[in-house]
Amino acid sequence: RKCDVEFCALDLAANSDLDGDGTVGVSDAVELLTYYANKAVNAPASFSHFDDQEAALQLADVNKDGNIDTADAVEILTYYARKAAGML
């Protein structure tokens, strides 16, 4: 489906429950940034609440650019902030 890039990312962020608590929020961005930081220093990195790490990586790549990085965390936080402000 064709869509505005910003709103496609928000749709994807809405499904990025990376900490397994059933909601998408700040803790999911923290989980993603912890993964990113560990990868950056070549330390073991995984999403602890997922048995299927490939599925977790798909969810974590919110902007679908092929990288798990700070831009994905920003998308999650943007989604969270807009939802908390009643803008979604």
Side-chain angles (χ1 to χ4, degrees), residues 45-63:
S46 67
F47 292 96
S48 59
H49 298 283
F50 280 84
D51 291 330
D52 183 349
Q53 289 298 300
E54 188 57 39
L57 292 172
Q58 293 296 315
L59 289 177
D61 185 13
V62 178
N63 62 10

Side-chain angles (χ1 to χ4, degrees), residues 63-78:
N63 62 10
K64 300 302 178 205
D65 67 354
N67 299 305
I68 310 299
D69 56 23
T70 58
D72 299 300
V74 168
E75 295 295 345
I76 291 172
L77 292 171
T78 299

Side-chain angles (χ1 to χ4, degrees), residues 24-48:
V24 175
V26 174
S27 58
D28 299 297
V30 170
E31 183 85 9
L32 189 150
L33 291 170
T34 299
Y35 173 89
Y36 174 73
N38 285 332
K39 287 293 268 187
V41 297
N42 293 318
S46 67
F47 292 96
S48 59

